[in-house]
Every structure is written in C-alpha cells, then in structure tokens.
C-alpha cells in the first residue's frame, strides 16, 4: 500500500494501516508532468563545491551521542581509510545539549555527554585532519525537544563559530510556522545570515524535508537542502526517496546540492544489493554521502561499499552535475551523469521485485559517435567493450553502475555480454519459484553488445545437490554476432521435501573473442525460491509466512500496530474503536507478498488508519493484487 509523506514531525510515523497485504506483487505506475522552476542563484560562501562527505550519528544512535562516540568515529575515519577516501565531516545530530538555555540565553552542551564542552570535541576532530558538524532547529524546540534556534540565530551562530564548528544541519520541527513559503525562507535565511556574520566558513545544511520545494529557492541560502522526509533502513523508504529526489537534477550545482538524507548502509534492514543501490544512486544524484551506521561494528561488506573509490569519484566529480533520468519504464530507470573528463556515469536502476534487463545506448546517455566504447562496472571492476549498446541484467532492487567512455583501444577488452533469466514463476527477487518436488522452467538469454563476435559460446549449469536442471533447447552456439542473442530453456526440479527458501543455480557462460580467441567465462547464480502454499482452509494472513515484506517505517508487525522502528513495539490493532486480534500493522509505503499456490479463493480484510495515529490525519491507498489483477 502507498500513502503520501507527512510534513508534521520529523520522526513521526506517516500513517499505519491494518490487515494490509498484496497476494501477488503488482505494479502501479503514476506519471506526473511538472513545470520546473529555474534554480536559485548559488550561495556565495565558496563551500561544499562537491557534495559533503562524512558521518552523522542519528540513523544509528538517535539521542545516544557523546564526546567518546565522536572521537572514536574520527579515529576510525583515519584508521579505516575513510579520511583518505574523501570523508571529511564528523557530524553531531540532535540531543547534544541540555533541556534549557543558560541564564544569559546560550545553548549548553550536555555536561554528561560532552564534559569538556563542544570546543574540546571540535579540537580533537580537527587534530585528526577532519571537520565537525552540529545540529539545531529553525523552531522553538528541536525534534527531540531541546531548545531550538528560532529567535536566537545570531547568539547560536556565534557560539558555533566560537566552538570552531564547520557544518550546521538546521532542522524544521516545532517551527511555529504559518506554512507559507515566505515563512520558511525567512526562518532559514535568518540563520544563514547569522552564520555569514560570524566570518567563519560553516557549511549550511537546510533540513526542511522538501515541504516548500526547497530545490527552487534554497540554493541562494544554504549549501544543501533536504528534499524528502526522513529516510529509514528499509527498501520501501529508499525507493520512495529515490522517486522524490530524482526529478530535481536541475537544481544541483557546485556549492548547492539536493539532499535525499543520510546513508543507511550497514544498519541491517536491507540486502547488500539494496545498499549498493542506495550508495550508487546517491553518487549519481550528486548527493551528500553522510555515513549513518556505527563504524565500530561495520562489516567488511559495509566498508567495501563506503570505500568504493570509483563510486565516490562519481559523486565528487568537479563538474557538479546531478545525474538525470533519461528513461523511466515499468519500474526501471536509466540515469546519466556527465563527468568532467568527458565520460558518462550510467546507472541502470531496477526498482521492481524481479530481475530485468535494462538497456540504453551511448548516444542516449550523451556520448559522441566513436569507433568503440568501454564500460567499467564500478562494483565488479570489470571492463568490457561495446559497439554502442549499454545493457545489463539487473537484479531486483539493484543498480548496475557503469562508467562509459569513448576508447580508441576498445578492441583490447572483451565484448560486453549480458546474461538474463526469465521464468513464468519469477517474483519477489527470485528468478523462478518452485514447490517442493515440483518443476519450473527458466530461460537464459545471452546478449552480445560488443563489436567483436563471440565464438564457441556455451551455457552450462550446476544444480544444487539432489536437484535436476536439464536443457530442453540448445545450450551451445558456434558464433554470436554483435547485437545477437542466444536463448536456452531449462527444466528445474526441486527434490521432494526441500525446505522453503532461496537456492542458487549457477549458470556459466563461456565464449572466445578476438583474433587470438581469448576465452572468457562468467558465472551468474540464478535464484530459485522453494515455496510452499498455506494449509487448506481459512488462515489469518498474520499466521501465513510471507515471501517478502517491505515497510515505510520499521518492520511489518503481526497482530499489532506498526509502532516505531523496533520490532514488536506496536499496540493492539484498533480501527475506530474496534480491536482486531489478528492482522498486520504497516506504514506507507509498504508491500507484502504471499505465495498461495493457486489455492486461495477469497480474501476478507478490514483496513484503515489505526486509532493510534488517526487523530493526526492522513490518507492511504490500499490495493490487493491476485496474479496481475
């Protein structure tokens, strides 16, 4: 289900619906035509000429910030290589101060959290060759209820400068606003002017949540501006924020950046593929890269994303252009971002729940005509040549990120080859689905986008133990010309009693290319999901195991309301005073998929905004899909 974003409190849930589900994933496509305003003239403080990179404590720690955490994070920037990779700012979010100002009207750092004061913390961060940021709010109170800066702008800005602060995130809670654009501009201009009056260079981050179209005006006041509500560590949240930020490319330029919020990479709520989409599209969209995880606990996989210098270079490119969407079809998008050296960064983004092939051309992404081109995959680091077609099989929720260039020496690289897989049973991230003891079919398609033909092409599989995978059409071919495709259909059978879950079926493509017949072998693991239908009879959905569930705020809850972000923190399901013992608590936008094995004849639901949040208003769209209907 889907609903519009809230513009009330920064951390308030949007809206919770009960007993909401989709039986089989469906897709709703909405296309809006908008008139784009010219961007405001850029702020002249000469800061943030590339998008800021660093750390912010809120996503991982909330109010649990203190001097020790900030110092440890600064140390990790140095020891982990983050500083060398370009990360600069160690930023403190809300809750750093006492609940009241001093008798003479100044903000007071919490003595328990920052016993030596904010200046000492800043001095330590600076001693590591880094910069420090702080948080305040353009209202009477911060989002967590601490003193806001409304009416105290010059006092607070002067204190920040005295403490040697380098970055200010300025929020929008408790703003006493009449909601007009004039009020928003006035409140944020007041702090901008106060920062400028201090004489200290302080990067100014406007956090007004995209309420009053800040892309059209905030560039003349601040260095970056939030374009959306708060992100959370879920696919639903990430997908929604990409949708909101992608159309705003017109407003970004050196010193002025669209800010789709801080990074969630490493916090555990999404898959590695989704985290790569998160980081990769933030780079293509020229967004600030502010780490939002506990670096003391970061895994090698998390650090591999944060330290990917090729992706960082796309974000930090000195041309300062945000990637633009040039194709938007059926849940897939193609972004192209011009780079200062003449290359193009190209992102093939798949927001759908099944793997799909996404294609464009070098002409469409803005490259000039040439004899040949090379494409570097910025995650795998593999470089291939293409005659002009840019194509890849992109996993569900995934993004293939390429750097494409005109290259006279293209012939020294292997042809670009894409292996796609389709199945009538594909859904929810799996290439195919099968019941225990059942059989399904998968068709693999090899496509040659290179200038060189392929020879001695072979496609082979390796079945999991006890499984049967058999080709029912030819699996080898003598040659495959430029632009050609070769398809093979496979019968896949899971053994009886196979436990439900995903299983990998490796498919290897081997071919020779070039005058010396150099051999290339690449393997892609197809995912086959073993699923069992629910038992006969009527079953509450909360008693049936779902195939997948995404939620806009925290996890989907069974037999309780959505609550906050922690699992199991909801309340009894209640709609207009009626309490439901069974059901699902979700937060828009959410999507839940069940496998029913063709055995379900009806679905009965009671759906609505639960009483826990009904007083704050909101509206929802609730949709049920059975198959594609």
């Amino acid at each position: 289900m889907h609903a519009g974003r809230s513009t009330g409190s920064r951390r308030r849930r949007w809206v919770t619906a009960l007993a909401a589900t989709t039986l089989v994933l469906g897709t709703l496509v909405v296309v809006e035509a908008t008139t784009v305003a010219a961007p405001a003239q850029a702020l002249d403080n000469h800061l943030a000429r590339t998008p800021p990179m660093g750390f912010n404590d809120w996503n991982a720690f909330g109010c649990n910030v203190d001097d020790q955490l900030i110092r440890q994070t600064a140390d990790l920037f140095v020891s982990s290589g983050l500083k060398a990779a370009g990360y600069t700012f160690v930023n403190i979010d809300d809750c750093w101060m006492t609940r009241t100002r001093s008798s003479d009207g100044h903000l007071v750092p919490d003595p328990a959290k920052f016993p030596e004061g904010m200046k000492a913390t800043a001095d330590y961060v600076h001693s590591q060759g880094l910069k420090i940021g702080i948080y305040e709010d353009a209202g009477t109170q911060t989002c967590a209820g601490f003193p806001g800066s409304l009416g105290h702008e010059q006092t607070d800005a002067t204190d920040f400068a005295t403490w040697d602060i380098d970055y200010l995130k300025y929020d929008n809670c408790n703003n006493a606003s009449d909601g007009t654009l004039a009020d928003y501009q006035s409140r944020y201009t007041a702090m901008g002017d106060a920062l400028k009056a201090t004489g200290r260079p302080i990067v100014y981050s406007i956090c007004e949540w995209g309420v009053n179209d800040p892309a059209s005006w905030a560039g003349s006041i601040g260095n970056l501006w939030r374009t959306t509500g708060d992100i959370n560590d879920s696919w639903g949240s990430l997908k929604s924020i990409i949708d909101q930020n992608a159309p705003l490319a017109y407003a970004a330029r050196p010193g002025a950046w669209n800010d789709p919020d801080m990074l969630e990479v490493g916090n555990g709520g999404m898959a590695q593929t989704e985290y790569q989409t998160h980081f990769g599209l933030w780079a293509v969209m020229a967004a600030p890269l502010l780490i939002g995880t506990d670096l003391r606990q970061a895994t090698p996989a998390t650090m591999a994303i944060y330290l990917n210098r090729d992706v960082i270079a796309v974000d930090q490119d000195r041309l300062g252009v945000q990637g633009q969407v040039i194709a938007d079809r059926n849940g897939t998008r193609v972004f192209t971002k011009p780079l200062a050296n003449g290359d193009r960064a190209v992102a093939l983004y798949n927001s759908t729940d099944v793997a799909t092939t996404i294609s464009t051309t070098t002409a469409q992404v803005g490259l000039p005509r040439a004899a040949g081109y090379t494409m570097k995959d910025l995650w795998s680091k593999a470089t291939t040549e293409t005659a002009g077609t840019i194509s890849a099989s992109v996993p569900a929720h995934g993004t293939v990120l390429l750097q494409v260039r005109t290259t006279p020496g293209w012939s020294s690289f292997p042809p670009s080859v894409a292996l796609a897989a389709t199945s009538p049973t594909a859904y929810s991230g799996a290439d195919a689905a099968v019941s225990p003891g059942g059989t399904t079919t998968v068709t693999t398609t090899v496509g040659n986008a290179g200038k060189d033909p392929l020879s001695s092409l072979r496609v082979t599989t390796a079945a999991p133990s006890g499984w049967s995978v058999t080709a029912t059409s030819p699996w080898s071919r003598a040659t495959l010309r430029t632009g050609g495709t070769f398809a093979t259909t496979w019968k896949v059978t899971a053994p009886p009693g196979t436990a439900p879950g995903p299983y990998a079926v490796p498919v290897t493509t081997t071919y020779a290319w070039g005058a010396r017949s150099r051999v290339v072998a690449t393997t892609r693991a197809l995912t086959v999901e073993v699923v069992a239908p629910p038992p006969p009879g009527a079953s509450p959905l909360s008693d049936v195991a779902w195939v997948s569930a995404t939620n806009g705020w925290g996890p989907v809850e069974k037999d309780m309301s959505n609550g906050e972000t922690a699992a199991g923190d909801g309340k009894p399901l209640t709609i207009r005073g009626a309490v439901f013992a069974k059901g699902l608590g979700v937060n828009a936008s959410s999507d839940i998929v069940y496998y029913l094995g063709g055995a379900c004849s009806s679905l009965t639901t009671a759906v609505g905004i639960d009483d826990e949040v009904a007083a704050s208003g909101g509206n929802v769209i609730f949709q049920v899909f059975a198959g594609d209907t």
Side-chain angles (χ1 to χ4, degrees):
M1 61 166 296
H2 311 276
R5 68 178 184 274
S6 163
T7 58
S9 169
R10 185 169 75 112
R11 297 182 186 93
R12 189 176 67 198
R13 288 169 289 122
W14 292 353
V15 62
T16 302
L18 310 178
T21 180
T22 56
L23 298 185
V24 178
L25 179 70
T27 303
L28 176 66
V29 179
V30 178
V31 179
E32 296 182 355
T34 58
T35 300
V36 177
Q41 186 175 353
L43 179 67
D44 61 353
N45 65 0
H46 307 293
L47 300 176
R49 304 306 294 173
T50 59
M53 294 175 59
F55 167 86
N56 180 289
D57 61 79
W58 182 260
N59 284 356
F61 297 95
C63 275
N64 297 319
V65 60
D66 58 21
D67 173 79
Q68 182 183 38
L69 171 64
I70 298 306
R71 292 182 187 233
Q72 289 175 339
T73 301
D75 292 343
L76 282 166
F77 266 39
V78 176
S79 63
S80 68
L82 287 168
K83 176 186 172 184
Y87 293 89
T88 302
F89 292 98
V90 182
N91 293 346
I92 301 165
D93 210 279
D94 206 346
C95 313
W96 59 267
M97 66 191 91
T98 58
R99 292 284 180 181
T100 58
R101 291 177 176 269
S102 67
S103 59
D104 56 354
H106 291 269
L107 298 170
V108 180
D110 187 328
K113 294 181 176 181
F114 296 91
E116 298 179 63
M118 204 57 68
K119 179 67 163 61
T121 305
D123 287 346
Y124 186 84
V125 172
H126 291 148
S127 74
Q128 302 303 304
L130 301 168
K131 296 182 179 181
I132 190 168
I134 206 165
Y135 167 98
E136 245 298 349
D137 188 278
T140 57
Q141 290 185 318
T142 72
C143 296
F146 293 86
S149 286
L150 187 65
H152 300 268
E153 291 87 356
Q154 194 58 65
T155 297
D156 294 351
T158 300
D159 285 343
F160 299 154
T162 301
W163 298 337
D164 289 342
I165 298 299
D166 305 295
Y167 182 113
L168 172 65
K169 174 183 173 182
Y170 204 44
D171 216 333
N172 193 34
C173 284
N174 305 299
N175 55 40
S177 173
D178 60 10
T180 63
L181 174 59
D183 173 78
Y184 273 61
Q185 290 176 326
S186 174
R187 286 185 294 113
Y188 283 100
T189 298
M191 179 55 80
D193 290 344
L195 293 174
K196 186 175 181 179
T198 69
R200 179 170 179 80
I202 299 176
V203 172
Y204 186 24
S205 171
I206 292 173
C207 185
E208 68 96 270
W209 320 325
V211 176
N212 267 307
D213 189 22
S216 67
W217 56 266
S220 62
I221 301 171
N223 298 108
L224 56 151
W225 51 88
R226 276 277 294 280
T227 58
T228 71
D230 284 8
I231 195 171
N232 67 67
D233 189 21
S234 72
W235 170 246
S237 174
L238 177 61
K239 179 180 174 181
S240 173
I241 285 178
I242 292 167
D243 290 346
Q244 295 171 64
N245 195 72
L248 304 176
Y250 73 92
R253 60 220 181 271
W257 310 104
N258 292 308
D259 176 12
D261 208 359
M262 302 166 290
L263 295 164
E264 292 280 8
V265 176
N267 286 334
M270 288 185 270
Q272 190 77 355
T273 296
E274 294 164 340
Y275 283 141
Q276 287 183 341
T277 287
H278 187 3
F279 195 74
L281 287 186
W282 261 232
V284 168
M285 293 189 295
L289 299 179
L290 296 175
I291 295 169
T293 195
D294 184 352
L295 289 170
R296 301 169 301 182
Q297 308 295 327
T299 65
T302 293
M303 294 307 295
I305 291 178
Y306 282 131
L307 289 170
N308 188 317
R309 295 211 180 200
D310 287 325
V311 180
I312 291 171
V314 170
D315 180 77
Q316 296 290 295
D317 185 76
R318 61 182 173 81
L319 200 60
V321 175
Q322 177 172 327
Q324 184 173 359
V325 176
I326 60 168
D328 188 348
R329 295 184 294 268
N330 302 322
T332 69
R333 288 193 181 105
V334 177
F335 291 76
T336 180
K337 174 181 168 71
L339 304 178
N341 66 354
D343 294 357
R344 291 294 188 276
V346 178
L348 308 177
Y349 165 54
N350 177 17
S351 72
T352 76
D353 296 310
V354 294
T356 190
T357 297
I358 304 175
S359 300
T360 185
T361 68
T362 51
Q364 289 170 337
V365 304
L367 285 167
R369 183 175 296 179
Y373 307 84
T374 57
M375 305 188 300
K376 181 178 181 180
D377 186 314
L378 301 190
W379 292 113
S380 73
K381 309 303 181 185
T383 299
T384 56
E385 59 87 0
T386 176
T389 296
I390 300 169
S391 183
S393 178
V394 186
H397 304 179
T399 299
V400 171
L401 186 55
L402 304 166
Q403 188 160 341
V404 188
R405 64 177 53 175
T406 59
T407 309
W410 60 266
S411 60
S412 61
F413 296 94
S416 173
V417 173
L419 175 66
T422 57
S423 170
T425 59
Y427 69 99
S428 294
D431 295 296
V434 65
S435 298
T439 296
T440 189
T441 60
V442 179
T443 299
T444 58
T445 303
V446 179
N448 178 19
K451 288 180 69 72
D452 270 335
L454 312 182
S455 60
S456 302
L457 174 63
R458 296 162 57 91
V459 183
T460 58
T461 66
S465 178
W467 288 54
S468 171
V469 181
T470 306
T472 59
S473 65
W475 52 270
S476 65
R477 186 164 175 170
T479 60
L480 186 64
R481 60 177 176 77
T482 297
T485 60
F486 173 62
T488 304
T489 299
W490 309 84
K491 185 171 71 173
V492 180
T493 303
T498 304
Y503 292 81
V505 177
V507 177
T508 299
T509 304
T510 306
Y511 59 88
W513 64 281
R516 291 183 290 171
S517 295
R518 287 169 284 190
V519 176
V520 173
T522 59
T523 298
R524 174 190 164 187
L526 305 183
T527 300
V528 178
E529 187 87 18
V530 174
V531 288
S539 298
L541 284 175
S542 59
D543 290 349
V544 178
W546 55 57
V547 173
S548 68
T550 61
N551 198 42
W553 184 254
V556 174
E557 299 285 5
K558 294 184 176 182
D559 304 329
M560 66 178 70
S561 68
N562 185 87
E564 295 294 336
T565 56
D569 64 356
K571 297 179 180 179
L573 295 169
T574 309
I575 304 176
R576 295 185 179 180
V579 179
F580 296 81
K582 308 296 294 184
L584 303 169
V586 303
N587 185 295
S589 58
S590 67
D591 191 83
I592 310 172
V593 179
Y594 288 87
Y595 175 75
L596 303 173
C600 180
S601 60
S602 65
L603 171 71
T604 302
T605 69
V607 60
I609 301 174
D610 69 84
D611 292 352
E612 186 178 346
V613 296
S616 61
N619 34 116
V620 297
I621 299 170
F622 173 64
Q623 297 176 311
V624 178
F625 292 84
D628 292 325
T629 304

